[in-house]
Amino acid sequence: MSEKHQLTLKDIAKELGLAVSTVSRALKSHPDISKETIKLVKDYADKHHYVPNLLAVNFRKSKTYNIGLVIPELVHQFFSTIISGVIKEANEYGYNVMICQSNEHVDDEKKVAKALLNSRVDGVIISLSNETDEVSHLKDFIAADIPVIQVDKISDQFDTPKVIVNDYAGAYQAVSYLLDLGYKRIAHIRGRLIVQHSNERYRGYAEALEKHGQSVNEDYVKVCDLLTEDEGFHFAQELMSLPEPPDAFFCVTDLVALGVMKYLREKDIKVPDEVGIIGFSNWKLGEIVSPTLCTVDQPGYEIGEKAMQLLLNKINNGMESPNERVVLNADLIVRESVKKQ
Amino acid sequence: MSEKHQLTLKDIAKELGLAVSTVSRALKSHPDISKETIKLVKDYADKHHYVPNLLAVNFRKSKTYNIGLVIPELVHQFFSTIISGVIKEANEYGYNVMICQSNEHVDDEKKVAKALLNSRVDGVIISLSNETDEVSHLKDFIAADIPVIQVDKISDQFDTPKVIVNDYAGAYQAVSYLLDLGYKRIAHIRGRLIVQHSNERYRGYAEALEKHGQSVNEDYVKVCDLLTEDEGFHFAQELMSLPEPPDAFFCVTDLVALGVMKYLREKDIKVPDEVGIIGFSNWKLGEIVSPTLCTVDQPGYEIGEKAMQLLLNKINNGMESPNERVVLNADLIVRESVKKQ
DNA sequence: ATTGATTGCACAAACGATTGCGAGAATGTC
DNA sequence: GACATTCTCGCAATCGTTTGTGCAATCAAT
């Protein structure tokens, strides 16, 4: 069953008394080759389980069929969902995905970028680290004719196709929902000022308030640094100690929302009756805590799929193709941490 | 900065008036080449940023420097941790990791196995799906001289190096801890009977009881099918309705433990004072719920690292090397869901 | 000065698939 | 029957690197 030596075109050619080139063309049904020869070759190849040597093919075509995927961290539900989408789409077209982590550090990001460049990937999908504020290391890819797609955390300093989630609309929807439910004083625990996401979500928050005749009360807006549960806990404490504490929290991410929830539970403040909470990102654990966490879903899988499609398009149709910007919807998922309608 | 044409050995040879072979050997400091020539070549290569064409190198060596990693599902904290360990170790030695999901289905597992075979990976690391009960599709790898390492969910029908966690010892430690804290009636919500993990954890549970002068009360043992939170909730309900309900739960996995916790909270049963809970796997969310969940940590990252090391060993030292079986410790992580000591 | 060993490098084949070009056979045209 | 056209296929180069072998030149020993 298992030969020591993998079957090659040469073997087939010798066996069939044909030239290697003829066999090669026959397998591709090249018009230069007669129907009979094609059938002969294909039958023989099938029968003996010929499978082209990928190394040789790739070498010849100087294509690695590898694409690089750079993400802040692998062990993270949102990113692993993206990865899953990328891999599924990539495999469908015969590409492998090399996963690299930046660990949210721009230095690591530069390191893996260089490694990907050296390993001659056919393309790159990247979600920037929180630290990244300049993208010179990415422009090297373009210089080397390697297409890049940005997803999720993107930089507008760098003109590539992009796949992002409509953070603004998701946030707007969430805050509007809170207002419609009758919550009056909505706090926002937001992310860092240099992160586009945070800004977009803040914008959604602000505009939803304004649309409902309120204006942003800066006392109700807190800026997280690391987006941890502790920060959520801490800011909840601060906010709930105000003379007029908020009656709802819209948090930049679920983990922070859970920190808020923890504080409220400790203080025996009822969620959702006294205070409502909405998070962002739809982490698994939001379904498990109780009350379950109302959140905004980010379609990670679709982001991955779409990004890979855009990348394939760039790879095949060249760098001249326009740099599309795909915006996916972030939808509110209503759960127990907000009042019933 | 960016040449259209990547620098090759030929270019260097022509420029330096040497033969291609000399340049090649010089770059590797081959003893046949004089010190001066070596320096000359290396300096030139450095200066002009020569980087060997991986495609050509791999082709020549007929090595893909790709390894396959087959796991049940990517979007799962434990597996993504393993992946992370594998990738880190693989990258250190210039290998890429192709991640494939079996989705816990043996059919998908067979499919990806065939794909990996065709893509001529240099080796495979696999964690079997829950459905897998025969391993013929894996023996194809051995027939093709592609080394395989099994991790976590393994089959003893298939003689390869293996990396597993000492589930037995972890469970034993957990249950002993409960007993030492004074819990008397310890229930066990376990996994399916055909899954080796579950059996090992059960064994640890049983032996810990016996060591402490108890014997297993089968009324206190429940078998989960899908390991969901709902099952935990449900079995907690059943068990707490017994005339003599348990005063502690040892659960096969954290998610089930959280289901138990949810039920107890609904019934206002105090954790850990009235009932203690220990889970298994150390999921992120166990740190976030309150009370935080006591659990047994499975060192996913180390599993991945070690598996990759074993694979590299097989790849480099040939198939004759002995099939080591590495057993890593699963350590108890004490948190709030059990009484203080 | 002849032999022998050693050093330092070049030549060329090889890996397996792809592809431009050309050649021979078969067929058709006048 | 001479010539052009079409159909099939083979030849050979090519991608960039590695590596076995051979060949001068140098040096030492006899």
Side-chain angles (χ1 to χ4, degrees):
Chain A
M1 211 57 339
S2 83
E3 278 87 71
K4 202 83 220 159
H5 166 78
Q6 280 284 342
L7 198 64
T8 70
L9 289 186
K10 199 195 289 184
D11 298 329
I12 302 183
K14 195 183 299 176
E15 196 62 36
L16 262 40
L18 292 169
V20 175
S21 52
T22 306
V23 176
S24 170
R25 281 186 254 252
L27 287 173
K28 314 197 141 43
S29 306
H30 192 283
D32 272 6
I33 311 296
S34 69
K35 302 249 179 286
E36 300 80 45
T37 309
I38 290 183
K39 181 164 168 32
L40 178 73
V41 172
K42 283 196 173 173
D43 284 353
Y44 185 92
D46 280 352
K47 192 165 155 201
H48 295 79
H49 309 105
Y50 168 73
V51 30
N53 185 324
L54 267 188
L55 284 130
V57 175
N58 293 353
F59 170 51
R60 183 61 226 267
K61 298 193 174 163
S62 56
K63 280 200 61 165
T64 59
Y65 282 94
N66 281 334
I67 70 120
L69 175 54
V70 184
I71 47 163
E73 42 176 339
L74 204 167
V75 187
H76 187 298
Q77 194 190 323
F78 178 57
F79 291 118
S80 53
T81 311
I82 293 182
I83 294 173
S84 193
V86 171
I87 288 184
K88 172 243 159 196
E89 194 70 17
N91 286 350
E92 225 154 85
Y93 293 89
Y95 282 81
N96 302 326
V97 180
M98 299 176 53
I99 298 171
C100 307
Q101 304 185 59
S102 66
N103 303 310
E104 297 283 12
H105 294 315
V106 66
D107 288 344
D108 288 12
E109 193 172 283
K110 289 183 179 177
K111 229 179 281 173
V112 300
K114 189 166 288 291
L116 287 175
L117 254 175
N118 284 345
S119 77
R120 290 180 153 80
V121 287
D122 294 341
V124 171
I125 298 175
I126 186 167
S127 179
L128 298 178
S129 88
N130 273 331
E131 277 182 18
T132 305
D133 55 355
E134 58 92 27
V135 291
S136 57
H137 51 301
L138 300 184
K139 299 199 167 160
D140 293 347
F141 286 113
I142 303 304
D145 253 331
I146 298 175
V148 175
I149 311 289
Q150 294 185 78
V151 299
D152 193 49
K153 275 185 272 184
I154 62 172
S155 162
D156 282 326
Q157 295 171 42
F158 188 29
D159 184 32
T160 69
K162 301 182 174 100
V163 183
I164 54 175
V165 164
N166 198 335
D167 287 297
Y168 163 76
Y172 185 94
Q173 193 185 352
V175 175
S176 298
Y177 191 79
L178 286 171
L179 290 165
D180 290 344
L181 286 174
Y183 293 106
K184 306 271 183 233
R185 298 177 307 282
I186 301 174
H188 179 35
I189 305 188
R190 57 161 298 166
R192 292 162 69 179
L193 300 171
I194 63 158
V195 177
Q196 208 156 18
H197 286 316
S198 314
N199 293 332
E200 286 294 290
R201 292 177 198 170
Y202 173 79
R203 196 163 66 84
Y205 163 76
E207 295 199 8
L209 287 182
E210 277 159 25
K211 201 72 159 190
H212 288 72
Q214 296 195 12
S215 59
V216 175
N217 175 350
E218 286 300 339
D219 292 342
Y220 282 174
V221 177
K222 296 291 177 186
V223 181
C224 268
D225 187 31
L226 302 171
L227 307 180
T228 62
E229 196 197 4
D230 279 350
E231 283 177 310
F233 187 93
H234 190 78
F235 284 130
Q237 185 168 34
E238 251 180 54
L239 286 162
M240 294 309 287
S241 310
L242 290 175
E244 200 176 34
D247 63 356
F249 286 80
F250 170 57
C251 302
V252 65
T253 183
D254 282 354
L255 197 54
V256 172
L258 291 174
V260 171
M261 194 181 278
K262 187 176 226 173
Y263 176 78
L264 297 178
R265 183 159 47 229
E266 278 194 12
K267 292 295 164 188
D268 250 335
I269 298 168
K270 298 279 172 270
V271 176
D273 296 333
E274 298 177 45
V275 173
I277 308 178
I278 298 186
F280 212 107
S281 291
N282 190 20
W283 289 20
K284 175 86 182 162
L285 47 83
E287 303 174 36
I288 290 162
V289 292
S290 82
T292 53
L293 181 65
C294 178
T295 187
V296 179
D297 183 51
Q298 292 174 290
Y301 193 83
E302 287 76 17
I303 293 175
E305 276 185 320
K306 191 66 199 175
M308 191 63 213
Q309 286 163 11
L310 292 178
L311 184 56
L312 285 167
N313 186 36
K314 272 281 175 190
I315 291 176
N316 297 323
N317 303 339
M319 307 291 272
E320 321 76 37
S321 58
N323 287 335
E324 214 176 324
R325 182 189 188 95
V326 176
V327 180
L328 299 176
N329 283 332
D331 287 320
L332 187 68
I333 297 186
V334 176
R335 296 214 191 91
E336 298 163 0
S337 65
V338 295
K339 287 183 208 165
K340 292 229 171 61
Q341 223 156 5
Chain B
M1 210 56 338
S2 84
E3 278 86 71
K4 202 84 218 154
H5 168 76
Q6 279 286 341
L7 197 66
T8 70
L9 290 185
K10 200 194 286 185
D11 298 329
I12 302 183
K14 193 184 299 175
E15 196 61 35
L16 263 39
L18 292 168
V20 174
S21 53
T22 306
V23 176
S24 171
R25 279 187 253 253
L27 287 173
K28 315 197 141 42
S29 306
H30 192 285
D32 271 8
I33 310 297
S34 69
K35 302 250 179 286
E36 300 80 48
T37 307
I38 291 183
K39 181 164 168 29
L40 178 72
V41 171
K42 284 194 172 172
D43 283 353
Y44 186 92
D46 280 351
K47 191 165 156 202
H48 295 80
H49 308 106
Y50 169 73
V51 30
N53 184 325
L54 267 188
L55 254 28
V57 174
N58 293 352
F59 169 52
R60 181 62 225 265
K61 298 196 173 161
S62 59
K63 282 198 63 165
T64 59
Y65 283 94
N66 280 334
I67 70 123
L69 176 53
V70 185
I71 47 164
E73 42 176 340
L74 205 167
V75 187
H76 186 299
Q77 194 191 324
F78 179 56
F79 291 118
S80 55
T81 311
I82 293 182
I83 294 172
S84 192
V86 171
I87 288 184
K88 172 244 160 194
E89 195 70 17
N91 286 352
E92 224 153 87
Y93 293 89
Y95 283 81
N96 302 326
V97 180
M98 299 176 53
I99 298 170
C100 306
Q101 303 186 62
S102 66
N103 304 310
E104 297 283 12
H105 295 316
V106 67
D107 289 343
D108 288 13
E109 193 173 283
K110 289 183 179 179
K111 225 178 285 171
V112 300
K114 189 167 290 289
L116 287 175
L117 254 174
N118 284 345
S119 77
R120 291 182 154 80
V121 286
D122 294 340
V124 171
I125 298 175
I126 186 167
S127 179
L128 298 178
S129 87
N130 273 332
E131 276 183 16
T132 306
D133 55 355
E134 57 90 29
V135 291
S136 57
H137 52 300
L138 299 184
K139 298 197 168 161
D140 293 346
F141 286 113
I142 303 304
D145 253 331
I146 298 175
V148 175
I149 311 290
Q150 295 185 77
V151 299
D152 193 48
K153 276 186 272 186
I154 61 172
S155 162
D156 282 327
Q157 293 171 44
F158 188 31
D159 184 32
T160 69
K162 299 180 175 102
V163 183
I164 54 175
V165 164
N166 197 335
D167 287 296
Y168 162 77
Y172 185 95
Q173 193 186 352
V175 175
S176 298
Y177 192 79
L178 287 171
L179 291 165
D180 289 345
L181 287 174
Y183 293 106
K184 306 272 184 231
R185 300 178 305 282
I186 300 174
H188 180 33
I189 305 186
R190 55 161 298 165
R192 295 162 67 179
L193 300 171
I194 63 158
V195 178
Q196 209 158 17
H197 286 315
S198 314
N199 293 331
E200 285 294 289
R201 292 176 198 172
Y202 174 79
R203 198 163 66 83
Y205 164 76
E207 294 199 9
L209 289 181
E210 277 159 27
K211 201 72 159 194
H212 287 72
Q214 297 194 12
S215 58
V216 174
N217 175 350
E218 286 300 340
D219 292 342
Y220 282 175
V221 178
K222 297 291 178 187
V223 180
C224 269
D225 188 32
L226 302 172
L227 307 180
T228 61
E229 196 197 4
D230 278 351
E231 284 178 308
F233 187 93
H234 191 77
F235 284 131
Q237 186 168 33
E238 251 180 53
L239 285 162
M240 295 307 288
S241 311
L242 289 175
E244 200 176 33
D247 63 356
F249 286 80
F250 171 56
C251 302
V252 65
T253 184
D254 282 353
L255 198 53
V256 173
L258 291 174
V260 172
M261 193 181 281
K262 187 177 226 172
Y263 176 78
L264 298 178
R265 182 160 45 228
E266 278 194 10
K267 293 295 164 187
D268 249 335
I269 299 168
K270 297 279 172 271
V271 176
D273 295 333
E274 298 176 46
V275 173
I277 308 178
I278 298 185
F280 211 107
S281 291
N282 190 21
W283 289 20
K284 176 82 182 164
L285 47 84
E287 303 174 36
I288 290 162
V289 292
S290 80
T292 54
L293 181 65
C294 178
T295 189
V296 180
D297 183 51
Q298 291 175 291
Y301 194 81
E302 287 76 15
I303 293 176
E305 277 185 319
K306 190 66 198 174
M308 190 63 212
Q309 285 164 11
L310 292 178
L311 184 57
L312 286 167
N313 187 34
K314 273 281 177 192
I315 291 176
N316 297 324
N317 302 339
M319 307 293 273
E320 322 76 36
S321 59
N323 285 334
E324 214 176 323
R325 183 191 187 93
V326 176
V327 181
L328 299 176
N329 284 331
D331 287 320
L332 187 68
I333 296 187
V334 176
R335 296 212 191 92
E336 298 163 0
S337 65
V338 295
K339 288 183 210 166
K340 292 228 168 63
Q341 225 159 1

